[in-house]
Amino acid sequence: MATFDDIADALARQAIELPSWAFGNSGTRFKVFAQPGVPRTVEEKLADAAKVHALTGLAPSVALHIPWDRVDDFAKLRAHAEDLGVRLGTINTNTFQDDDYKFGSLTHVDERVRAKAIAHMHECVDIMDVTGSRDLKVWLPDGTNYPGQGDLRDRQDRLADSLARVYARLGDHQRLVLEYKFFEPAFYATDVPDWGTAYAHCVALGERAVVCLDTGHHAPGTNIEFIVTQLLRLGRLGAFDFNSRFYADDDLIVGAADPFQLFRILFEVVRGGGYDEGSGVAFMLDQCHNVEDKIPGQVRSVLNVQEMTARALLVDRDALAAAERAGDVLGANEVFMDAFYTDVRADLADWRASRGLPADPMRAYRDSGYAERIVAERVGGSQAGWGA
Amino acid sequence: MATFDDIADALARQAIELPSWAFGNSGTRFKVFAQPGVPRTVEEKLADAAKVHALTGLAPSVALHIPWDRVDDFAKLRAHAEDLGVRLGTINTNTFQDDDYKFGSLTHVDERVRAKAIAHMHECVDIMDVTGSRDLKVWLPDGTNYPGQGDLRDRQDRLADSLARVYARLGDHQRLVLEYKFFEPAFYATDVPDWGTAYAHCVALGERAVVCLDTGHHAPGTNIEFIVTQLLRLGRLGAFDFNSRFYADDDLIVGAADPFQLFRILFEVVRGGGYDEGSGVAFMLDQCHNVEDKIPGQVRSVLNVQEMTARALLVDRDALAAAERAGDVLGANEVFMDAFYTDVRADLADWRASRGLPADPMRAYRDSGYAERIVAERVGGSQAGWGA
Amino acid sequence: MATFDDIADALARQAIELPSWAFGNSGTRFKVFAQPGVPRTVEEKLADAAKVHALTGLAPSVALHIPWDRVDDFAKLRAHAEDLGVRLGTINTNTFQDDDYKFGSLTHVDERVRAKAIAHMHECVDIMDVTGSRDLKVWLPDGTNYPGQGDLRDRQDRLADSLARVYARLGDHQRLVLEYKFFEPAFYATDVPDWGTAYAHCVALGERAVVCLDTGHHAPGTNIEFIVTQLLRLGRLGAFDFNSRFYADDDLIVGAADPFQLFRILFEVVRGGGYDEGSGVAFMLDQCHNVEDKIPGQVRSVLNVQEMTARALLVDRDALAAAERAGDVLGANEVFMDAFYTDVRADLADWRASRGLPADPMRAYRDSGYAERIVAERVGGSQAGWGA
Amino acid sequence: MATFDDIADALARQAIELPSWAFGNSGTRFKVFAQPGVPRTVEEKLADAAKVHALTGLAPSVALHIPWDRVDDFAKLRAHAEDLGVRLGTINTNTFQDDDYKFGSLTHVDERVRAKAIAHMHECVDIMDVTGSRDLKVWLPDGTNYPGQGDLRDRQDRLADSLARVYARLGDHQRLVLEYKFFEPAFYATDVPDWGTAYAHCVALGERAVVCLDTGHHAPGTNIEFIVTQLLRLGRLGAFDFNSRFYADDDLIVGAADPFQLFRILFEVVRGGGYDEGSGVAFMLDQCHNVEDKIPGQVRSVLNVQEMTARALLVDRDALAAAERAGDVLGANEVFMDAFYTDVRADLADWRASRGLPADPMRAYRDSGYAERIVAERVGGSQAGWGA
């Protein structure tokens, strides 16, 4: 097995994008619990994200969600972010919070609604041009709740046409990142429900269309690391939305529900070249901190990804290959588990300290007084939340 | 197989309770789509429910949700309902829309919060005393999102204690109906996640504690009709919350996702005596009409239950028993499917017409002008919705 | 809605291939229950299949499984089948019953084993040349049971290479039909686990590589009709393996577990052109009659497909499209369900009688004395079973 | 957090029963792969089990399966086991490998078959009287494959009656341990499908009837540690069958699929008193080593349980309780994860060495020459397998 020293440099290139919406209030259909100190503006969200980056060195960029994070002057916002020490990253489209999209957006039977959704995405590309963002993230709520409600085939055809019209607007260095989701908010048929559908559309669009794999968007029992492997092999793994789940799209902290699964996923990323310099795979969180504190929730999340990446990098791949060739199932599994069971936390604390970062970012946050300060300062205005 | 005439009388005793909240706006965590004409008051909800009953003869009572349906004078509301031709039914408690319940209600680690939740339930019993309701429905959002967050055992013990304090307040003819749910809003551990837990608590409470089976609250693949059979056998099936699902707790129209499952469930109800006069099993809808019209959505729902009940009553149980004794798997299945595949719709239309009801309640609703009238009348005020 | 007369001609072109192995003994890992009268030879299997076709007119061809159905002279077997009134159909490869394949066949790390598996498939193509079969069915047991056991990526690359070597051997009018399966017999990672993987490999192979959709091979909750729609749209739906399931790959009689799902699947087949003359979609059963009688089990199965096809053909697609355009969710669903709830059995009985077939094939089989005859005749020898 | 020294004594009382059948060949319905050196007799199975115990100190007893392990003289077998350094443990009944049980055993509609099954179980109690075993394990394959096939209610009533007749035969210090299973081999309805059913039957039987929780026998997503908590609370958790799963009842090595789940389960065992001296909870493996070597597979399994038990014992429960009281979700989770991420392997190696056990039991087995010896010696005769 590699030593921690062997992987220290590789760890240094890790970058995990934070979603601006993780800092706002969120919840279930039953209740959104409000937290004191929650940002009221996109600038406050950026400040919180910058705090996470300052504590961990892992989160140099922030994804925006349009229209939630729409501002008059994105150039100014970009400069503001850079002043805070972070970049603006992926631009996320939103076609789920407008009454017009009740029966679909890019797949809608009515050309007027489709055009509206496409125009929204074009606006997002305009924003990308200003923010310098590479990726346009398209997650669609489109689908139907009842058998018979919509023509599944026509919806695919309209989707293909709409996506082509969005894709055509992209610049040479920009990408369309198409996300799939098993279900919710549609309860009968979702229009991009699986990686196969996202992949087929991306291939039809062109080389700059890639798939986003959200770790919470699969059927029970799905082997997600297999999909990682396959999409990397096919050259279409564009991005991750990290989170974790026990049941549906729970949006819990990445690694909280099944840390071993996160390890397996990251191992396949490493094995498949997705962690290599310039691989083109974007790593992002997409979570909801419904009952836990949001800023330390994000800190915990990036640390979880870092810890598992370290373990994944430690796997002795030569020993693994030798065991496989020998048909030694238990031996191969032991090599694999050896890395997983290695406690990398002390080494990572040293690694952080050696780079001028707090050895224990969670404690450093608690000790920083930041939480108390934002609670005191952020009064009045309305807190950010889904839709805010 | 029985003829339709044989079952006509049995059909006449069918009663399905409507939930007041089905008439208000609802949605997912992503979006609540507003519908024109949605009720603004509990009285308007009752009017809509009464319309469903007038069209179908199937829905003589309405469940209330406290505090959503709280009024100053429940005696007056009761009289109002009766004037409309319906009764007030089950009183549903709500411990999920208050910040105090973020970490639980009846299971909360803090006695103050538990006492508040218990007091709320006592208030609901007070209301039942006025409305003449038999059943106090307790569905709890209680649970935890992360491993380690709560002590699962202590939460059960507190739950048992809290339920006992609620149960003690019930009158001799009142029941506590305890509902279980697989997951949501809690994403790691739910405090009443399965029928076994609900059953064990009911047995500990006493004879007037019974289980509510919501058809959408089970793990994938669960054989729900088996649970119906078992709870009837154990004497603890108190109520149904009907709806349907493809994935999680989708709350779609009952019978929409898997009509054959609804048939199997109703067959076990009939076989187990749950449809007999005075069985004590309450039948209720618990659905969300997120994208379809609400009043006809309720009409469709009660018709679905009626149509499947008719089919369930038609099963030739003697032939079934004979095939089972003979080890004739295909023969038994054929007897069973014969009833399922029988198209009872024309007979039911005649049956309705012979009782002074519209032969086609869906069309009768469309032709009634009711939808247009409420859209015109219900302007101003705020529409009812979850929490309204 | 169309009338039954409107669809009578379309029904006449229905053809469902029977699997030779459905007539042999089968079971679970716990027990294979033997049935008296089970075939001992492939000729006896063909006789049973021909009986199903004689009774229903629906099953003009029989799929073979090599090596289970290997004979010295396939030309003679072909003639024998034709004498019985059926054709030889799809040739199924088998790489799961040889110790060499413990760690994979087409994906095996050892070139020797891969070459053996490929040679087996080449032999199957040789057989196809004699039997006149169009389709080579490739279902692979390949996969791993433990994380770390195999290199997921290398396995895909070897799979692609092996498939190409098999594909190269096909004649111009032959097809490679690649089947995917969610899990079993592999319990950690399956090498062709989903339609996306099968599709990607087929595209890489060429136009005569198509996907086989086995209705039992999906994760819980998967919307199968969506996959049907998508594969038809992409031009790669090659075949169905019909069966049904409540849990995993239960291999129950098609339509037995969820008849409404079968209806939805067949509706998408019809809507997507898969039922059109010359569509290239092969319809086949793949079932195990573990506890029910095998021949009537097959009769019941093809009747289930026919009955649901009739219902699917009856859907009023114009009304459906109009309701969709109007955003009328309940109206669209009602149009859809109207066809599903229509009892087509009496019309189908008439339809059969008018074509010289028994009105009630199940009864006709019982009355035919065939069951008693084979029990009496088929003594001695060893019964066919999986592996026999 | 506790130190390893604090928990060393608690670790010393760990005992995990090995199943005799884990040493024999096993597989899926598709294929049983034979392994050289597999036992041909129960004595050879005991020898293999004793080897596992000698290497780990964790496996002092062996469960038998009747009739697979039936011998003429169980007293002699008991003495033989004791000579090898192990005890005979749980006696497992088998009602799934006889044609009579095709439609059920304890639930069969035919009293003759039921009586046969009951007599079999009585024979098992006779054996227990000789072997000194405490527990009669009853796992039933009983169920139905098709809706309508059997009367679900009658089957429960017959089950209750049959179990009572079995229970009546137990001695004062013997227990009936009733196992539940979600599905397989029955594919529609299983007669003991969930813990609630097993629990209700046990309560009806009496105090010496307890539930067996097999970790692989649940619906997808089920929170197993919750069931552990509940059954301990209700005083009816009798035994564990440990294994792991990604999909259905995969019977993989315990902890292989989801080590964090195993940790959570063992933590609830510890928290609920199930690991206390004299708790009455039996810990047993129930696995199939289909592709991996069997003896080291068992060694790895008991080590996995030991390692996770150590981590579970390390949890700082005071800190956990304090965090819960403070509503500190992230803090509580961190306390919990801290124990899980602690690498206990080196400490356990020392602990073993200090007790005269090999520090690395897996390596010690490889180095022992045992595998080579049994391959050389165990030729001729027929290998044990399921049914052998």
Side-chain angles (χ1 to χ4, degrees):
Chain A
M1 198 166 80
T3 66
F4 194 86
D5 282 350
D6 298 331
I7 67 170
D9 288 347
L11 286 171
R13 68 170 178 269
Q14 186 150 44
I16 304 158
E17 191 160 293
L18 305 187
S20 70
W21 55 95
F23 300 99
N25 288 320
S26 62
T28 68
R29 60 175 173 147
F30 293 100
K31 172 70 176 172
V32 174
F33 293 106
Q35 291 188 7
V38 155
R40 297 157 302 173
T41 63
V42 61
E43 288 79 7
E44 290 181 352
K45 295 181 198 173
L46 291 176
D48 291 355
K51 183 70 186 169
V52 174
H53 185 49
L55 290 165
T56 64
L58 290 169
S61 66
V62 185
L64 301 183
H65 213 295
I66 308 299
W68 299 342
D69 297 322
R70 191 185 275 135
V71 292
D72 289 336
D73 186 341
F74 276 99
K76 198 169 146 195
L77 190 70
R78 177 183 185 167
H80 181 72
E82 287 164 5
D83 288 347
L84 290 165
V86 293
R87 284 184 296 103
L88 299 181
T90 301
I91 302 297
N92 287 260
T93 62
N94 178 326
T95 59
F96 55 88
Q97 293 202 318
D98 185 312
D99 282 323
D100 268 341
Y101 300 135
K102 185 174 175 181
F103 298 122
S105 61
L106 293 190
T107 67
H108 201 287
V109 72
D110 182 344
E111 167 62 23
R112 182 190 65 80
V113 177
R114 285 213 291 143
K116 175 175 172 173
I118 293 166
H120 163 64
M121 296 190 185
H122 286 173
E123 181 204 350
C124 289
V125 181
D126 291 340
I127 292 169
M128 291 164 65
D129 291 340
V130 180
T131 56
S133 303
R134 180 185 61 175
D135 290 347
L136 178 72
K137 174 92 69 69
V138 177
W139 170 72
L140 299 171
D142 296 41
T144 52
N145 273 8
Y146 289 96
Q149 179 186 335
D151 185 309
L152 300 185
R153 171 70 170 268
D154 289 353
R155 293 178 74 91
Q156 286 300 308
D157 293 340
R158 290 193 296 264
L159 173 61
D161 176 76
S162 298
L163 285 171
R165 287 152 70 182
V166 173
Y167 186 81
R169 173 66 185 76
L170 292 176
D172 285 349
H173 300 293
Q174 292 173 335
R175 310 190 305 177
L176 188 158
V177 183
L178 183 59
E179 184 169 338
Y180 61 93
K181 187 177 187 189
F182 185 50
F183 85 102
E184 195 210 24
F187 291 132
Y188 164 57
T190 292
D191 292 316
V192 189
D194 51 28
W195 78 263
T197 295
Y199 168 70
H201 281 289
C202 285
V203 168
L205 288 171
E207 288 194 357
R208 284 169 295 113
V210 287
V211 177
C212 175
L213 187 159
D214 182 299
T215 50
H217 289 188
H218 301 87
T222 301
N223 184 323
I224 297 172
E225 59 269 28
F226 176 88
I227 300 175
V228 170
T229 301
Q230 189 67 278
L231 282 172
L232 279 170
R233 179 178 172 270
L234 296 167
R236 295 283 176 169
L237 182 61
F240 277 99
D241 269 6
F242 282 122
N243 51 59
S244 74
R245 65 186 284 275
F246 288 96
Y247 302 98
D249 187 27
D250 306 346
D251 278 335
L252 300 179
I253 287 175
V254 55
D258 188 347
F260 182 46
Q261 183 187 57
L262 178 60
F263 170 75
R264 300 193 309 264
I265 288 171
L266 287 167
F267 175 70
E268 294 301 331
V269 169
V270 169
R271 177 151 69 175
Y275 191 74
D276 291 353
E277 206 84 53
S279 79
V281 179
F283 299 87
M284 193 176 120
L285 303 183
D286 184 14
Q287 304 178 167
C288 294
H289 302 297
N290 296 345
V291 299
E292 69 274 19
D293 292 339
K294 295 167 197 305
I295 296 172
Q298 291 282 291
V299 172
R300 169 84 283 145
S301 302
V302 296
L303 294 178
N304 280 357
V305 176
Q306 183 183 43
E307 291 175 16
M308 281 303 162
T309 303
R311 289 178 173 91
L313 289 165
L314 286 175
V315 173
D316 185 341
R317 289 165 60 187
D318 292 336
L320 208 57
E324 183 183 13
R325 279 194 303 272
D328 182 3
V329 176
L330 291 168
N333 185 245
E334 193 166 351
V335 168
F336 197 64
M337 300 311 291
D338 192 14
F340 176 67
Y341 284 132
T342 298
D343 190 348
V344 296
R345 295 175 300 166
D347 283 326
L348 279 169
D350 293 345
W351 181 94
R352 270 190 291 271
S354 75
R355 276 157 178 79
L357 293 162
D360 181 344
M362 292 293 283
R363 168 180 293 270
Y365 178 73
R366 280 196 298 274
D367 295 346
S368 71
Y370 189 88
E372 294 74 12
R373 193 158 62 246
I374 59 176
V375 169
E377 289 174 3
R378 295 176 183 175
V379 288
S382 50
Q383 289 186 317
W386 280 32
Chain B
M1 198 167 79
T3 66
F4 194 86
D5 281 349
D6 298 332
I7 68 168
D9 288 346
L11 287 171
R13 67 170 179 268
Q14 187 152 44
I16 303 158
E17 191 160 292
L18 305 186
S20 70
W21 55 96
F23 299 98
N25 287 320
S26 61
T28 67
R29 61 177 171 144
F30 292 100
K31 172 70 175 171
V32 174
F33 294 104
Q35 291 188 9
V38 154
R40 298 158 300 173
T41 63
V42 61
E43 288 80 8
E44 289 180 354
K45 295 181 199 173
L46 291 177
D48 290 356
K51 184 69 185 170
V52 175
H53 185 48
L55 289 164
T56 63
L58 290 168
S61 65
V62 186
L64 300 183
H65 213 295
I66 307 300
W68 299 343
D69 296 323
R70 191 185 275 135
V71 291
D72 289 337
D73 186 341
F74 276 98
K76 197 169 148 195
L77 190 71
R78 178 183 183 167
H80 181 72
E82 286 164 5
D83 288 347
L84 290 165
V86 292
R87 286 184 293 102
L88 300 181
T90 301
I91 301 298
N92 287 259
T93 62
N94 179 324
T95 58
F96 56 87
Q97 294 201 319
D98 186 311
D99 282 323
D100 268 341
Y101 300 136
K102 186 174 177 181
F103 298 121
S105 61
L106 293 189
T107 66
H108 202 288
V109 72
D110 182 343
E111 167 62 22
R112 182 191 65 81
V113 177
R114 285 212 292 143
K116 175 176 173 172
I118 293 166
H120 163 66
M121 296 192 185
H122 285 173
E123 181 205 349
C124 288
V125 181
D126 292 340
I127 293 169
M128 291 164 65
D129 291 340
V130 179
T131 56
S133 303
R134 180 185 59 177
D135 290 347
L136 177 73
K137 173 91 71 68
V138 177
W139 170 71
L140 299 171
D142 296 42
T144 53
N145 272 9
Y146 289 96
Q149 179 186 335
D151 184 309
L152 300 185
R153 170 70 172 266
D154 289 352
R155 294 177 74 90
Q156 286 300 309
D157 293 340
R158 290 192 296 263
L159 173 61
D161 175 76
S162 299
L163 285 171
R165 288 153 68 183
V166 174
Y167 186 81
R169 174 64 186 77
L170 292 176
D172 283 350
H173 299 293
Q174 292 173 334
R175 310 191 306 178
L176 188 159
V177 184
L178 183 59
E179 185 168 337
Y180 60 93
K181 188 177 187 190
F182 184 50
F183 85 101
E184 194 210 24
F187 292 132
Y188 163 58
T190 293
D191 293 316
V192 189
D194 52 26
W195 78 263
T197 294
Y199 168 71
H201 280 290
C202 285
V203 168
L205 288 171
E207 288 194 358
R208 284 168 296 114
V210 288
V211 177
C212 175
L213 187 159
D214 182 299
T215 51
H217 289 187
H218 302 87
T222 302
N223 184 324
I224 298 172
E225 58 268 29
F226 175 87
I227 300 174
V228 170
T229 301
Q230 189 66 279
L231 282 172
L232 279 169
R233 179 178 172 270
L234 295 168
R236 297 284 176 167
L237 182 60
F240 277 99
D241 269 6
F242 281 122
N243 51 61
S244 74
R245 66 185 284 275
F246 288 97
Y247 302 97
D249 186 27
D250 306 346
D251 278 335
L252 300 178
I253 287 175
V254 55
D258 188 347
F260 182 45
Q261 182 188 57
L262 178 59
F263 170 75
R264 300 194 309 264
I265 288 170
L266 288 167
F267 175 71
E268 294 301 331
V269 169
V270 169
R271 177 150 69 178
Y275 192 73
D276 292 354
E277 206 83 52
S279 80
V281 179
F283 299 87
M284 195 177 119
L285 303 182
D286 183 14
Q287 302 176 167
C288 294
H289 302 298
N290 295 347
V291 299
E292 68 274 21
D293 292 339
K294 294 167 198 304
I295 296 172
Q298 291 281 291
V299 172
R300 171 81 283 144
S301 302
V302 296
L303 293 178
N304 280 357
V305 175
Q306 183 183 43
E307 291 176 16
M308 281 304 164
T309 303
R311 289 178 173 92
L313 289 166
L314 286 174
V315 173
D316 186 341
R317 288 165 60 187
D318 291 337
L320 208 56
E324 183 183 14
R325 279 192 304 271
D328 182 3
V329 176
L330 291 168
N333 185 245
E334 193 166 351
V335 167
F336 197 64
M337 300 310 292
D338 192 13
F340 177 67
Y341 284 133
T342 298
D343 190 348
V344 296
R345 295 176 299 167
D347 283 326
L348 279 169
D350 292 345
W351 181 93
R352 271 190 291 268
S354 76
R355 278 158 177 79
L357 294 162
D360 182 343
M362 292 293 282
R363 169 178 294 270
Y365 178 73
R366 281 195 297 273
D367 295 347
S368 70
Y370 188 89
E372 294 75 13
R373 194 158 61 245
I374 59 176
V375 168
E377 289 175 4
R378 296 176 182 173
V379 288
S382 51
Q383 290 186 315
W386 279 31
Chain C
M1 195 166 82
T3 67
F4 194 87
D5 281 350
D6 298 332
I7 68 168
D9 288 347
L11 287 171
R13 66 170 179 270
Q14 187 149 43
I16 304 158
E17 190 160 293
L18 304 186
S20 70
W21 55 96
F23 300 98
N25 287 321
S26 61
T28 67
R29 60 175 172 146
F30 292 100
K31 172 70 175 170
V32 173
F33 293 104
Q35 291 188 9
V38 154
R40 298 157 302 172
T41 64
V42 60
E43 288 80 6
E44 290 180 352
K45 294 180 199 174
L46 291 176
D48 290 356
K51 183 67 185 169
V52 175
H53 185 49
L55 289 165
T56 63
L58 291 168
S61 66
V62 185
L64 300 183
H65 214 294
I66 307 301
W68 299 343
D69 297 322
R70 191 186 275 134
V71 293
D72 289 336
D73 186 341
F74 277 99
K76 197 169 147 197
L77 189 71
R78 177 184 183 166
H80 181 72
E82 286 164 5
D83 288 347
L84 290 165
V86 292
R87 286 184 294 103
L88 300 180
T90 301
I91 302 299
N92 287 259
T93 63
N94 179 326
T95 58
F96 56 87
Q97 293 202 319
D98 185 311
D99 282 324
D100 268 342
Y101 300 135
K102 185 174 176 181
F103 298 121
S105 62
L106 293 190
T107 66
H108 201 286
V109 73
D110 183 345
E111 168 60 24
R112 183 191 65 81
V113 178
R114 285 213 292 143
K116 175 175 173 172
I118 293 165
H120 163 65
M121 295 191 185
H122 286 174
E123 181 204 350
C124 288
V125 180
D126 292 340
I127 292 170
M128 291 164 65
D129 291 341
V130 181
T131 55
S133 303
R134 180 186 59 176
D135 291 346
L136 177 73
K137 175 91 71 71
V138 178
W139 170 72
L140 299 171
D142 297 40
T144 52
N145 274 7
Y146 290 96
Q149 180 187 334
D151 185 310
L152 300 186
R153 171 69 171 267
D154 289 352
R155 294 177 73 90
Q156 286 300 308
D157 292 341
R158 290 193 295 264
L159 173 61
D161 176 75
S162 298
L163 286 171
R165 287 153 69 184
V166 173
Y167 186 81
R169 174 66 186 77
L170 291 176
D172 284 350
H173 300 292
Q174 293 172 335
R175 309 190 307 178
L176 188 159
V177 183
L178 183 59
E179 184 169 339
Y180 62 92
K181 188 177 187 188
F182 185 50
F183 85 102
E184 195 210 22
F187 292 131
Y188 163 57
T190 292
D191 292 317
V192 189
D194 51 27
W195 78 263
T197 295
Y199 168 72
H201 281 289
C202 285
V203 167
L205 289 171
E207 288 194 357
R208 284 169 295 112
V210 286
V211 177
C212 175
L213 187 159
D214 182 299
T215 51
H217 289 188
H218 302 86
T222 301
N223 184 322
I224 298 173
E225 59 268 29
F226 176 87
I227 300 175
V228 170
T229 301
Q230 189 68 276
L231 283 171
L232 280 169
R233 180 178 171 271
L234 296 168
R236 296 284 176 169
L237 182 62
F240 276 98
D241 270 6
F242 281 122
N243 51 59
S244 73
R245 65 186 284 275
F246 288 97
Y247 302 98
D249 187 26
D250 307 344
D251 277 334
L252 300 179
I253 288 175
V254 55
D258 188 348
F260 182 46
Q261 183 187 58
L262 178 59
F263 170 76
R264 299 193 310 264
I265 289 170
L266 288 167
F267 175 71
E268 294 301 331
V269 170
V270 169
R271 177 150 68 177
Y275 191 74
D276 291 352
E277 207 83 55
S279 80
V281 179
F283 299 86
M284 193 176 122
L285 302 184
D286 184 13
Q287 303 177 168
C288 293
H289 302 297
N290 296 347
V291 299
E292 68 275 20
D293 292 339
K294 295 168 197 305
I295 297 172
Q298 291 282 290
V299 172
R300 171 81 284 148
S301 301
V302 295
L303 294 178
N304 280 358
V305 176
Q306 184 184 42
E307 291 176 16
M308 280 304 162
T309 303
R311 289 178 174 92
L313 289 165
L314 286 174
V315 173
D316 185 341
R317 289 166 59 187
D318 293 336
L320 208 56
E324 183 184 13
R325 279 193 304 273
D328 182 3
V329 176
L330 291 168
N333 184 245
E334 193 167 349
V335 168
F336 197 65
M337 300 310 292
D338 192 14
F340 176 67
Y341 283 133
T342 298
D343 190 349
V344 296
R345 294 174 301 166
D347 283 326
L348 279 169
D350 292 345
W351 182 92
R352 272 189 290 269
S354 75
R355 276 156 179 78
L357 293 162
D360 181 345
M362 292 292 284
R363 169 180 294 270
Y365 178 73
R366 281 196 297 273
D367 294 347
S368 71
Y370 189 88
E372 294 73 13
R373 193 158 61 245
I374 59 176
V375 169
E377 290 175 2
R378 296 176 182 173
V379 287
S382 50
Q383 291 186 315
W386 280 31
Chain D
M1 197 166 81
T3 67
F4 194 86
D5 281 349
D6 298 332
I7 67 169
D9 288 346
L11 287 171
R13 67 170 177 269
Q14 187 151 44
I16 304 158
E17 190 161 293
L18 305 186
S20 70
W21 55 96
F23 300 99
N25 288 320
S26 61
T28 67
R29 60 175 173 146
F30 292 100
K31 173 70 175 170
V32 173
F33 294 105
Q35 292 188 10
V38 154
R40 300 157 301 173
T41 63
V42 61
E43 288 80 6
E44 290 179 353
K45 295 180 200 174
L46 291 176
D48 290 357
K51 183 69 186 171
V52 175
H53 185 48
L55 289 164
T56 63
L58 290 168
S61 66
V62 185
L64 300 183
H65 212 295
I66 307 300
W68 299 344
D69 296 323
R70 191 186 275 135
V71 292
D72 290 336
D73 186 342
F74 277 99
K76 197 169 147 194
L77 190 71
R78 177 183 183 166
H80 181 72
E82 287 164 4
D83 288 348
L84 290 165
V86 292
R87 285 185 294 104
L88 299 181
T90 301
I91 301 299
N92 287 260
T93 63
N94 179 326
T95 59
F96 56 87
Q97 293 202 319
D98 185 312
D99 282 324
D100 268 340
Y101 300 135
K102 186 175 177 181
F103 298 121
S105 62
L106 293 190
T107 67
H108 202 286
V109 73
D110 183 343
E111 167 61 23
R112 182 190 65 81
V113 178
R114 283 213 293 143
K116 175 175 172 172
I118 293 165
H120 164 65
M121 295 192 185
H122 285 173
E123 181 204 350
C124 289
V125 181
D126 292 340
I127 292 170
M128 291 164 65
D129 291 340
V130 180
T131 55
S133 303
R134 179 186 60 175
D135 290 347
L136 177 73
K137 174 92 70 73
V138 177
W139 171 71
L140 299 171
D142 297 42
T144 52
N145 273 8
Y146 290 97
Q149 179 186 332
D151 184 308
L152 301 185
R153 171 69 171 267
D154 289 352
R155 294 177 74 91
Q156 286 300 308
D157 293 340
R158 291 192 295 265
L159 173 61
D161 176 75
S162 298
L163 286 172
R165 287 153 69 183
V166 173
Y167 186 80
R169 174 65 185 78
L170 292 176
D172 284 351
H173 300 294
Q174 293 173 335
R175 308 189 308 176
L176 188 158
V177 183
L178 183 58
E179 184 168 338
Y180 61 93
K181 188 177 186 189
F182 185 50
F183 84 102
E184 194 208 24
F187 291 132
Y188 163 57
T190 293
D191 292 316
V192 189
D194 51 27
W195 77 264
T197 295
Y199 167 70
H201 280 290
C202 285
V203 168
L205 288 171
E207 287 195 355
R208 283 168 295 114
V210 287
V211 177
C212 175
L213 187 159
D214 182 299
T215 51
H217 289 188
H218 302 86
T222 301
N223 184 323
I224 298 172
E225 60 269 29
F226 176 87
I227 300 175
V228 170
T229 301
Q230 188 67 277
L231 282 172
L232 279 170
R233 180 178 171 270
L234 295 168
R236 295 284 176 168
L237 181 62
F240 276 98
D241 269 6
F242 281 122
N243 51 59
S244 73
R245 65 186 284 274
F246 288 97
Y247 302 98
D249 187 26
D250 306 346
D251 277 334
L252 301 178
I253 288 174
V254 54
D258 187 347
F260 182 46
Q261 183 187 57
L262 178 59
F263 169 75
R264 299 193 310 265
I265 289 171
L266 288 168
F267 175 71
E268 294 302 331
V269 169
V270 169
R271 178 150 67 177
Y275 191 73
D276 292 353
E277 207 83 53
S279 80
V281 179
F283 299 87
M284 194 177 120
L285 302 183
D286 184 14
Q287 302 178 166
C288 293
H289 302 297
N290 295 347
V291 298
E292 68 275 20
D293 293 339
K294 295 168 197 305
I295 297 171
Q298 291 282 291
V299 172
R300 165 61 33 224
S301 302
V302 295
L303 293 178
N304 280 357
V305 176
Q306 183 183 44
E307 292 176 16
M308 281 304 163
T309 303
R311 288 177 174 93
L313 289 166
L314 285 174
V315 173
D316 185 341
R317 290 165 60 187
D318 292 337
L320 208 55
E324 184 184 13
R325 278 193 304 274
D328 181 4
V329 176
L330 291 168
N333 185 245
E334 192 166 349
V335 167
F336 197 65
M337 300 310 292
D338 191 14
F340 176 67
Y341 283 133
T342 298
D343 191 347
V344 295
R345 295 175 299 167
D347 283 326
L348 279 169
D350 292 345
W351 181 92
R352 271 189 291 270
S354 75
R355 276 157 179 78
L357 293 163
D360 182 344
M362 291 293 284
R363 168 178 294 271
Y365 179 74
R366 282 196 297 273
D367 295 346
S368 71
Y370 189 89
E372 295 74 13
R373 192 158 64 245
I374 59 177
V375 168
E377 289 175 1
R378 295 176 184 174
V379 288
S382 50
Q383 289 186 315
W386 279 31

